[in-house]
Amino acid sequence: MSDVTLARKTGNEQLKKNIAKLSGEFSYEETAYHLPVSYALTGTAVHTPAAAAEVFAKTADNPLVAAECILAGETAAAGKEPAPYTGFISDTVLRKLGYSLVDGSILGLALIVGSPKSAESAAAICRELQEKYMLTFLSGGVVPTLSEAGVKLGLDYRLIPLGSKPLHSVHFVDIVTRVAMMFGGVAPGDIHRLLAYAAERAKAIVIVFPGLSDEDIAFVDGMRVLGFPILTLGGYEGGDWVPAAPEEVVRKGMDLKGIRVTVTAIPIPMACSPAFEGKSIRKEEMQVEFGGGRSPAFELLRMKNPGEIEDGKVTVIGPEIDAMKEGGAYPLGIIIDVTGKTMKKDYEPVLERRIHNFINYGEGSWHVAQRDLIWVRISKEAYAKGVKVEHLGKLLASKFRMDFPQLLDAVSVTLITDPEKVLAAKKEAEEIYAERDARIKGMRDNDVDTYYSCTLCQTFAPNHVCVITPERPALCGAISWLDGKIAYEISPSGANQPVEKGALINAQNGEFEGVNRFVKKASHGEIERCSLYSVMEFPMTCCGCFEAIALMLPEVNGIMVVNREYKGMTPSGMTFSTLAGTIGGGAQTPGFAGISKNYILSDRFLQGEGGIERLVWMPAQLKEELKSRLVPLLESKGHPDLFDKIADETTAATIEDLTEYLTRVGHPALAMKPLM
């Protein structure tokens, strides 16, 4: 039994000695935040032993700073640990998680550290955390214990093995500090705002198994300053650690942080949780598959009149999975019929897209794409547990009723596997798709008087306000104008609110009196003006979840775009991570704008700067991703050769290269009105 108070004293002394032993330079790749804990607390970029000693002293020998610097030094000397350990998690991955942190699919963060005596107990705790929508990080002996017990680990399962030693838990802390700086607008060195942000907004708990050294105890105890409750499962006494039994530790921790969740079990032979949404089922792991170009498949959600369907009814038309050959590709039709007093036909496509999420919630089911392009797999492991096609229907029926209780009164699911009947039903579905597209095709900003806001990200970026229009989707790429409209109608007090345009102030930049009034109020008075179509003048604020960044390059009189997947240097002299760190957190930064990828294809893109002719550079991967839609768009605007004139990293790595390239190809931006 370790006395926390005594161990903390001894451990802090050992950490101080180890700080003094640091040598060489150290840093983490793919981050704009240096050693994030040290940087957040002091504003100092630590890369050397001297800087580490300075920051350690400045923070009154803070054990979190000590652990971060020591681990960074060890990693620089020995290299990253091999799989399954992640080590430091890049800014790019963290930004991809951003939307999940605010949309309700992740309710909080948990750290499990130490060496459990029982693999069964540790696995049960992890499963409960998954089912209760917690993103869980692991360090120390718990990782091999879970692996040997057959528990699947990794970001795809929201059980993230940081490292083999408890000290690797510092990466849990550096995630919280980066979230504060990325999304929360906390300036590096503003220790008071950081601590307040961590305590109030970071819903984080720490669960400790036995086996920690004095040094580990001192470091883990140091997390209490961030407002993280430390729950011990035995082996420790004293201090302010909270004792808990394995069967109550998750509930107790969530209660301490005010995390509320109601989990209703779905009666199928596999676990269901957003924790499984990011997983993949590889070819060698699958029992059967449907669609994906290998067989016909489609999905359709349609509204019925009250009384037409039986709530919860699941029907399978055709052979079940046990009549299918292992590894085979089979046809599949998914038809979901719904009724509800407030349900509207316009809601059908929005609800239909949730099929993707819900099937992926199954531990052994996988889904990509939508409409008649879907691809579904069921794993061998799930099949061995008894999962059938019927259970996909039960999963869907249950989740739609659970997630939309105010909207839907009844849900029934029909799953078709008979080849001829799939083809016949698919033809009917395609007619419905065409009708839907015709209803919304060509919708323009000028056609509506009301836009919609999204303030989901105010959970982490308190002053950020996203304004969504028919021609400008949310900067995260996840919400369209129609999504916002329907979300408001379903939940009038939610994050999507109507924004009356009001009188026009500037048609070129897209500035409206009503939008300005709304943004000022929703940003708590921080932002007074917002131009929807301009990068240069009063651009929309940024939270940190944006898919890409558009920024001015005055040297070439143009605008470049870089997406978050691109890890290289840009002609601006900055990487995506560095740029994102500059503009995130709810800031309004003239010359910079967070955008979605699809916004590049909008007629409103760069309207304030003269149009898409300003686009001079973007990564080759993004160009290729957009090519099939961007080339026809440019041709329709009278610029059939502009696509090839837009540079990428293979033709222009620096601003000097870009200047030479644009001059050589005769890019139109060079002859446009000066940006500055």
Side-chain angles (χ1 to χ4, degrees):
M1 185 72 70
S2 296
D3 184 296
V4 171
T5 303
L6 294 176
R8 181 173 58 215
K9 181 179 179 181
T10 305
N12 281 328
E13 291 172 355
Q14 186 60 48
L15 287 170
K16 188 172 184 178
K17 291 178 182 177
N18 290 340
I19 276 278
K21 296 177 184 177
L22 285 172
S23 62
E25 293 191 354
F26 36 84
S27 62
Y28 290 123
E29 297 178 355
E30 299 180 37
T31 183
Y33 300 96
H34 311 285
L35 299 195
V37 179
S38 302
Y39 188 55
L41 289 172
T42 66
T44 301
V46 176
H47 298 289
T48 65
E54 176 188 338
V55 168
F56 184 57
K58 188 184 292 186
T59 58
D61 297 354
N62 187 290
L64 302 180
V65 169
E68 179 177 57
C69 296
I70 292 165
L71 184 61
E74 291 178 355
T75 303
K80 289 184 67 172
E81 291 189 312
Y85 302 113
T86 64
F88 182 83
I89 294 173
S90 72
D91 289 356
T92 299
V93 172
L94 196 52
R95 289 184 188 281
K96 287 180 180 178
L97 280 171
Y99 189 71
S100 297
L101 292 170
V102 298
D103 72 350
S105 60
I106 294 176
L107 296 182
L109 310 177
L111 169 68
I112 301 179
V113 58
S115 300
K117 295 178 180 178
S118 165
E120 183 179 350
S121 175
I125 290 170
C126 288
R127 175 55 55 89
E128 185 177 356
L129 287 164
Q130 287 175 317
E131 292 175 346
K132 291 187 174 177
Y133 298 9
M134 298 289 283
L135 180 62
T136 303
F137 299 82
L138 313 163
S139 65
V142 66
V143 178
T145 298
L146 291 170
S147 294
E148 290 165 10
V151 177
K152 293 180 179 179
L153 305 178
L155 187 58
D156 290 349
Y157 296 93
R158 298 189 182 174
L159 292 175
I160 304 172
L162 295 172
S164 63
K165 300 191 301 183
L167 207 62
H168 284 95
S169 299
V170 76
H171 294 315
F172 178 74
V173 182
D174 76 45
I175 285 170
V176 173
T177 58
R178 278 184 290 160
V179 165
M181 292 184 284
M182 278 182 187
F183 304 112
V186 174
D190 191 340
I191 187 169
H192 298 295
R193 279 194 67 194
L194 174 68
L195 297 182
Y197 185 94
E200 295 167 11
R201 294 185 178 271
K203 303 293 187 180
I205 65 174
V206 180
I207 297 173
V208 185
F209 281 108
L212 299 189
S213 67
D214 289 353
E215 189 177 350
D216 298 330
I217 291 172
F219 157 63
V220 170
D221 188 72
M223 296 185 203
R224 289 190 301 107
V225 73
L226 298 171
F228 304 169
I230 314 296
L231 298 106
T232 169
L233 293 164
Y236 311 95
E237 61 182 3
D240 292 306
W241 292 18
V242 181
E247 62 274 12
E248 67 170 358
V249 67
V250 173
R251 178 191 57 76
K252 184 175 282 191
M254 294 177 73
D255 285 347
L256 286 170
K257 292 302 292 184
I259 305 171
R260 301 284 182 261
V261 61
T262 300
V263 178
T264 303
I266 299 174
I268 60 175
M270 66 175 169
C272 299
S273 167
F276 304 120
E277 189 176 4
K279 72 184 178 307
S280 60
I281 296 176
R282 295 187 293 271
K283 186 176 181 180
E284 62 272 17
E285 297 172 329
M286 75 167 187
Q287 179 68 23
V288 292
E289 63 181 343
F290 309 92
R294 292 158 174 79
S295 60
F298 73 94
E299 63 192 14
L300 179 70
L301 184 141
R302 59 194 185 187
M303 186 178 76
K304 293 290 186 179
N305 294 320
E308 280 192 66
I309 65 173
E310 180 184 336
D311 186 34
K313 183 179 181 181
V314 175
T315 304
V316 178
I317 301 173
E320 253 295 357
I321 190 172
D322 48 13
M324 300 175 185
K325 182 180 178 182
E326 180 182 319
Y330 295 88
L332 177 66
I334 302 173
I335 300 175
I336 300 177
D337 292 319
V338 301
T339 66
K341 295 181 183 66
T342 57
M343 177 67 188
K344 297 180 181 178
K345 199 166 186 64
D346 284 346
Y347 299 175
E348 288 178 344
V350 175
L351 295 183
E352 188 174 283
R353 288 199 292 273
R354 298 305 300 274
I355 295 172
H356 168 77
N357 305 98
F358 294 157
I359 289 181
N360 280 320
Y361 284 5
E363 187 175 13
S365 52
W366 175 83
H367 178 289
V368 295
Q370 57 183 325
R371 288 190 169 184
D372 55 356
L373 299 175
I374 63 168
W375 188 6
V376 178
R377 281 178 169 175
I378 295 176
S379 71
K380 292 177 181 176
E381 184 177 337
Y383 175 69
K385 293 179 179 178
V387 171
K388 297 183 178 181
V389 173
E390 174 193 8
H391 295 123
L392 296 183
K394 290 184 176 181
L395 168 58
L396 290 168
S398 297
K399 284 303 297 178
F400 273 106
R401 288 291 273 120
M402 287 178 193
D403 283 29
F404 301 99
Q406 306 303 318
L407 180 67
L408 302 178
D409 298 326
V411 179
S412 70
V413 181
T414 301
L415 300 151
I416 309 171
T417 58
D418 178 274
E420 292 184 4
K421 292 179 179 178
V422 167
L423 291 174
K426 181 171 176 282
K427 186 176 180 180
E428 293 180 21
E430 288 167 346
E431 292 174 358
I432 294 175
Y433 301 153
E435 290 173 10
R436 290 176 182 170
D437 292 342
R439 286 204 303 271
I440 63 172
K441 185 178 181 181
M443 184 176 287
R444 298 287 183 260
D445 286 3
N446 291 340
D447 298 335
V448 300
D449 295 322
T450 304
Y451 298 149
Y452 288 89
S453 71
C454 182
T455 53
L456 271 175
C457 291
Q458 286 196 352
T459 305
F460 291 99
N463 299 320
H464 170 61
V465 184
C466 201
V467 180
I468 307 165
T469 79
E471 296 181 80
R472 179 166 185 170
L475 53 82
C476 63
I479 304 174
S480 69
W481 178 85
L482 185 59
D483 293 330
K485 178 178 184 291
I486 292 171
Y488 169 70
E489 291 177 1
I490 292 173
S491 178
S493 60
N496 302 112
Q497 293 292 308
V499 182
E500 298 299 326
K501 289 161 63 173
L504 178 66
I505 297 174
N506 186 317
Q508 182 78 5
N509 290 350
E511 186 177 5
F512 302 88
E513 286 185 1
V515 172
N516 283 345
R517 277 196 302 271
F518 183 93
V519 169
K520 183 175 182 178
K521 181 179 179 181
S523 68
H524 312 104
E526 290 294 318
I527 306 298
E528 295 196 359
R529 298 177 66 181
C530 175
S531 296
L532 301 177
Y533 313 141
S534 177
V535 173
M536 299 297 296
E537 296 184 31
F538 309 110
M540 195 183 299
T541 59
C542 299
C543 56
C545 299
F546 36 78
E547 290 187 306
I549 299 170
L551 64 144
M552 68 167 179
L553 294 174
E555 299 91 338
V556 294
N557 203 38
I559 302 289
M560 63 160 276
V561 171
V562 57
N563 56 310
R564 67 185 174 201
E565 291 83 4
Y566 181 67
K567 299 177 181 178
M569 189 63 67
T570 72
S572 69
M574 293 181 278
T575 63
F576 177 90
S577 287
T578 302
L579 288 165
T582 303
I583 68 173
Q588 184 182 65
T589 313
F592 301 78
I595 61 171
S596 67
K597 294 177 185 177
N598 278 337
Y599 183 48
I600 298 170
L601 304 170
S602 168
D603 288 339
R604 300 296 187 177
F605 178 59
L606 301 182
Q607 177 175 298
E609 287 66 51
I612 200 168
E613 297 92 322
R614 285 283 188 188
L615 184 57
V616 297
W617 190 95
M618 58 181 174
Q621 176 269 330
L622 181 58
K623 278 186 71 176
E624 187 61 30
E625 181 181 335
L626 298 178
K627 183 176 182 179
S628 64
R629 293 174 290 166
L630 184 55
V631 169
L633 175 68
L634 295 174
E635 289 176 349
S636 72
K637 292 178 177 291
H639 300 288
D641 58 350
L642 182 55
F643 183 83
D644 292 328
K645 292 181 179 181
I646 299 169
D648 57 42
E649 71 274 18
T650 67
T651 53
T654 66
I655 195 66
E656 293 79 15
D657 294 339
L658 183 59
T659 303
E660 188 278 328
Y661 178 83
L662 298 179
T663 302
R664 176 160 46 84
V665 300
H667 195 289
L670 299 175
M672 296 176 75
K673 178 183 176 181
L675 280 172
M676 298 180 67

XYZ file of all heavy atoms in Angstrom, residues 59-112:
382
model
N 7.523 27.130 -13.133
C 6.250 26.531 -12.706
C 6.341 25.906 -11.316
O 5.523 25.055 -10.958
C 5.797 25.468 -13.711
O 6.819 24.458 -13.844
C 5.518 26.073 -15.074
N 7.351 26.339 -10.549
C 7.517 25.854 -9.167
C 7.668 24.341 -9.120
O 7.036 23.648 -8.326
C 6.348 26.314 -8.297
N 8.541 23.816 -9.981
C 8.850 22.383 -10.030
C 7.605 21.535 -10.294
O 7.363 20.516 -9.639
C 9.529 21.920 -8.739
C 10.873 22.603 -8.505
O 11.316 23.341 -9.405
O 11.458 22.397 -7.437
N 6.821 21.967 -11.267
C 5.580 21.260 -11.587
C 5.874 19.853 -12.110
O 6.643 19.687 -13.061
C 4.803 22.055 -12.646
C 3.430 21.482 -12.900
O 3.290 20.425 -13.468
N 2.410 22.206 -12.467
N 5.273 18.826 -11.515
C 5.567 17.446 -11.948
C 5.078 17.144 -13.365
O 5.640 16.261 -14.029
C 4.828 16.589 -10.919
C 3.760 17.483 -10.355
C 4.340 18.855 -10.374
N 4.050 17.847 -13.847
C 3.578 17.623 -15.215
C 4.620 18.108 -16.219
O 4.885 17.444 -17.231
C 2.245 18.344 -15.447
C 1.090 17.970 -14.530
C -0.158 18.769 -14.896
C 0.792 16.475 -14.614
N 5.217 19.260 -15.933
C 6.289 19.786 -16.781
C 7.484 18.851 -16.748
O 8.087 18.531 -17.787
C 6.689 21.203 -16.324
C 7.974 21.653 -17.019
C 5.559 22.183 -16.599
N 7.823 18.378 -15.560
C 8.960 17.467 -15.429
C 8.739 16.202 -16.247
O 9.610 15.772 -17.013
C 9.179 17.121 -13.959
N 7.562 15.596 -16.097
C 7.271 14.360 -16.817
C 7.330 14.574 -18.321
O 7.864 13.742 -19.066
C 5.891 13.841 -16.404
N 6.785 15.697 -18.786
C 6.782 15.964 -20.225
C 8.202 16.098 -20.764
O 8.539 15.517 -21.804
C 5.987 17.235 -20.511
C 5.955 17.601 -21.987
C 5.117 18.816 -22.270
O 5.397 19.882 -21.671
O 4.185 18.712 -23.083
N 9.022 16.868 -20.091
C 10.392 17.089 -20.562
C 11.221 15.806 -20.496
O 11.992 15.498 -21.418
C 11.052 18.191 -19.735
S 10.278 19.817 -19.919
N 11.070 15.059 -19.424
C 11.818 13.805 -19.270
C 11.435 12.817 -20.362
O 12.288 12.199 -21.005
C 11.576 13.203 -17.871
C 12.211 14.088 -16.795
C 12.117 11.780 -17.784
C 11.742 13.783 -15.377
N 10.133 12.666 -20.610
C 9.679 11.721 -21.624
C 10.103 12.174 -23.022
O 10.514 11.352 -23.852
C 8.161 11.567 -21.572
C 7.574 10.521 -22.533
C 8.116 9.131 -22.228
C 6.055 10.511 -22.471
N 10.049 13.471 -23.285
C 10.483 13.979 -24.590
C 11.967 13.689 -24.804
O 12.388 13.315 -25.911
C 10.207 15.475 -24.697
N 12.758 13.864 -23.746
C 14.181 13.559 -23.844
C 14.429 12.089 -24.102
O 15.263 11.711 -24.939
N 13.703 11.227 -23.396
C 13.854 9.779 -23.587
C 13.433 9.364 -24.994
O 14.083 8.528 -25.628
C 13.015 9.023 -22.550
C 13.522 9.148 -21.128
C 12.630 8.424 -20.134
O 11.561 7.906 -20.556
O 12.978 8.388 -18.935
N 12.345 9.954 -25.488
C 11.855 9.610 -26.823
C 12.834 10.061 -27.899
O 13.059 9.354 -28.890
C 10.473 10.252 -27.074
O 9.569 9.826 -26.051
C 9.919 9.858 -28.431
N 13.441 11.232 -27.712
C 14.423 11.725 -28.679
C 15.642 10.813 -28.730
O 16.222 10.584 -29.799
C 14.836 13.146 -28.323
N 16.013 10.268 -27.571
C 17.204 9.414 -27.516
C 16.940 7.996 -28.017
O 17.755 7.423 -28.751
C 17.721 9.364 -26.073
N 15.772 7.436 -27.663
C 15.504 6.024 -27.981
C 14.529 5.828 -29.133
O 14.376 4.720 -29.641
C 14.967 5.325 -26.722
N 13.841 6.886 -29.544
C 12.838 6.756 -30.594
C 11.480 6.370 -30.023
O 11.354 5.995 -28.854
N 10.451 6.470 -30.867
C 9.097 6.132 -30.432
C 8.962 4.639 -30.191
O 9.624 3.827 -30.843
C 8.070 6.567 -31.488
C 7.876 8.065 -31.605
C 6.771 8.404 -32.591
C 5.414 7.960 -32.096
N 4.302 8.440 -32.949
N 8.097 4.295 -29.272
C 7.824 2.888 -29.021
C 7.055 2.286 -30.199
O 6.276 2.972 -30.872
C 7.008 2.719 -27.739
C 7.778 3.066 -26.487
C 7.006 2.672 -25.227
O 5.816 3.001 -25.140
O 7.607 2.028 -24.350
N 7.276 0.998 -30.458
C 6.572 0.359 -31.583
C 5.089 0.160 -31.277
O 4.640 0.331 -30.136
C 7.288 -0.985 -31.715
C 7.806 -1.283 -30.337
C 8.185 0.058 -29.764
N 4.333 -0.208 -32.309
C 2.907 -0.522 -32.141
C 2.744 -1.594 -31.076
O 3.620 -2.445 -30.907
C 2.329 -0.992 -33.462
N 1.672 -1.557 -30.304
C 0.462 -0.763 -30.525
C 0.517 0.653 -29.964
O -0.453 1.389 -30.060
C -0.607 -1.571 -29.790
C 0.119 -2.114 -28.600
C 1.501 -2.465 -29.138
N 1.667 1.028 -29.363
C 1.718 2.310 -28.666
C 1.707 3.479 -29.651
O 2.384 3.466 -30.677
C 2.959 2.365 -27.780
C 3.010 1.261 -26.759
C 3.968 0.258 -26.827
C 2.063 1.203 -25.734
C 4.006 -0.767 -25.888
C 2.086 0.182 -24.794
C 3.059 -0.802 -24.877
O 3.088 -1.820 -23.958
N 0.943 4.514 -29.311
C 0.838 5.682 -30.180
C 1.884 6.730 -29.872
O 2.298 7.480 -30.754
C -0.540 6.347 -30.036
O -0.679 6.846 -28.690
C -1.656 5.373 -30.333
N 2.326 6.793 -28.600
C 3.162 7.907 -28.212
C 2.399 9.208 -28.379
O 1.177 9.262 -28.229
N 3.122 10.254 -28.737
C 2.518 11.575 -28.936
C 1.533 11.520 -30.098
O 1.822 10.978 -31.158
C 3.619 12.593 -29.221
C 3.119 13.999 -29.397
C 2.878 14.801 -28.300
C 2.887 14.519 -30.666
C 2.419 16.103 -28.451
C 2.430 15.813 -30.831
C 2.200 16.611 -29.720
N 0.341 12.085 -29.901
C -0.703 12.102 -30.928
C -0.669 13.447 -31.640
O -0.712 14.500 -30.997
C -2.080 11.834 -30.306
C -2.107 10.398 -29.763
C -3.198 12.043 -31.310
C -3.347 10.066 -28.966
N -0.573 13.419 -32.969
C -0.355 14.631 -33.753
C -1.538 15.596 -33.687
O -2.670 15.214 -33.388
C -0.072 14.275 -35.212
O -1.263 13.821 -35.848
N -1.259 16.844 -34.029
C -2.308 17.867 -34.096
C -3.386 17.469 -35.097
O -4.577 17.716 -34.875
C -1.717 19.206 -34.533
C -0.857 19.861 -33.467
O -0.769 19.313 -32.352
O -0.262 20.915 -33.758
N -2.976 16.877 -36.215
C -3.937 16.504 -37.264
C -4.965 15.524 -36.738
O -6.171 15.672 -36.966
C -3.207 15.892 -38.471
O -2.300 16.852 -39.004
C -4.195 15.475 -39.552
N -4.507 14.495 -36.036
C -5.421 13.500 -35.474
C -6.337 14.154 -34.448
O -7.544 13.883 -34.400
C -4.635 12.333 -34.837
C -5.572 11.396 -34.085
C -3.858 11.569 -35.900
N -5.776 15.036 -33.640
C -6.568 15.700 -32.602
C -7.653 16.576 -33.228
O -8.785 16.628 -32.738
C -5.642 16.535 -31.719
C -6.193 17.002 -30.374
C -6.766 15.851 -29.581
C -5.101 17.704 -29.578
N -7.332 17.248 -34.318
C -8.339 18.079 -34.982
C -9.443 17.231 -35.597
O -10.614 17.624 -35.626
C -7.680 18.957 -36.047
C -6.830 20.055 -35.465
C -6.247 20.977 -36.505
N -5.305 21.888 -35.880
C -5.637 22.972 -35.204
N -6.918 23.285 -35.092
N -4.734 23.745 -34.654
N -9.084 16.058 -36.106
C -10.106 15.162 -36.653
C -11.066 14.698 -35.562
O -12.247 14.450 -35.811
C -9.447 13.954 -37.323
C -8.777 14.271 -38.651
C -8.145 13.032 -39.263
C -7.484 13.349 -40.591
N -6.817 12.170 -41.182
N -10.544 14.587 -34.344
C -11.394 14.204 -33.215
C -12.273 15.362 -32.752
O -13.235 15.155 -32.019
C -10.524 13.754 -32.031
C -9.973 12.337 -32.059
C -8.967 12.160 -30.928
C -11.087 11.312 -31.940
N -11.931 16.571 -33.205
C -12.593 17.763 -32.692
C -14.102 17.709 -32.749
O -14.787 18.014 -31.773
N -14.657 17.310 -33.911
C -16.118 17.313 -34.052
C -16.759 16.293 -33.119
O -17.828 16.538 -32.549
C -16.515 17.042 -35.504
C -17.983 17.239 -35.755
C -18.538 18.513 -35.753
C -18.827 16.160 -35.976
C -19.894 18.716 -35.963
C -20.186 16.342 -36.197
C -20.710 17.625 -36.192
O -22.051 17.808 -36.394
N -16.092 15.140 -32.941
C -16.632 14.116 -32.034
C -16.681 14.604 -30.589
O -17.508 14.150 -29.802
C -15.786 12.837 -32.113
O -15.844 12.271 -33.397
N -15.787 15.528 -30.257
C -15.756 16.050 -28.899
C -16.911 16.996 -28.609
O -17.163 17.344 -27.462
C -14.426 16.775 -28.646
C -13.169 15.890 -28.613
C -11.917 16.748 -28.608
C -13.181 14.959 -27.415
N -17.615 17.442 -29.669
C -18.706 18.387 -29.442
C -20.059 17.885 -29.918
O -21.088 18.479 -29.606
C -18.411 19.756 -30.110
C -17.177 20.372 -29.513
C -18.257 19.619 -31.623
N -20.098 16.790 -30.699
C -21.385 16.362 -31.258
C -22.104 15.331 -30.404
O -23.160 14.834 -30.779
C -21.196 15.820 -32.679
C -20.509 14.460 -32.725
O -20.002 14.007 -31.674
O -20.475 13.852 -33.808
N -21.536 15.007 -29.235
C -22.198 14.082 -28.326
C -21.738 12.650 -28.439
O -22.103 11.810 -27.610
N -20.898 12.327 -29.444
C -20.440 10.943 -29.566
C -19.257 10.665 -28.642
O -18.902 9.509 -28.412
C -20.074 10.612 -31.018
O -19.045 11.445 -31.496
N -18.612 11.713 -28.130
C -17.627 11.583 -27.052
C -18.058 12.535 -25.947
O -18.104 13.748 -26.145
C -16.198 11.926 -27.521
C -15.694 10.918 -28.556
C -15.245 11.955 -26.324
C -14.332 11.259 -29.133
N -18.388 11.998 -24.790
C -18.873 12.825 -23.680
C -17.766 13.262 -22.741
O -17.930 14.216 -21.983
C -19.939 12.067 -22.891
C -21.225 11.724 -23.646
C -22.194 11.017 -22.715
C -21.866 12.969 -24.225
N -16.640 12.547 -22.763
C -15.560 12.892 -21.861
C -14.327 12.069 -22.161
O -14.314 11.219 -23.061
N -13.275 12.335 -21.394
C -11.993 11.660 -21.570
C -11.650 10.889 -20.296
O -11.942 11.337 -19.195
C -10.887 12.674 -21.861
C -11.136 13.703 -22.965
C -9.968 14.676 -23.053
C -11.346 13.011 -24.299
N -11.022 9.731 -20.482
C -10.590 8.933 -19.334
C -9.168 8.464 -19.550
O -8.778 8.137 -20.676
C -11.510 7.739 -19.130
N -8.402 8.440 -18.492
C -7.053 7.873 -18.509
C -7.034 6.697 -17.554
O -7.484 6.809 -16.410
C -6.027 8.918 -18.065
C -4.612 8.378 -17.790
C -3.943 7.918 -19.087
C -3.751 9.437 -17.090
N -6.524 5.562 -18.020
C -6.314 4.401 -17.151
C -4.816 4.138 -17.107
O -4.175 3.961 -18.146
C -7.052 3.154 -17.669
C -8.557 3.415 -17.757
C -6.780 1.964 -16.757
C -9.360 2.228 -18.280
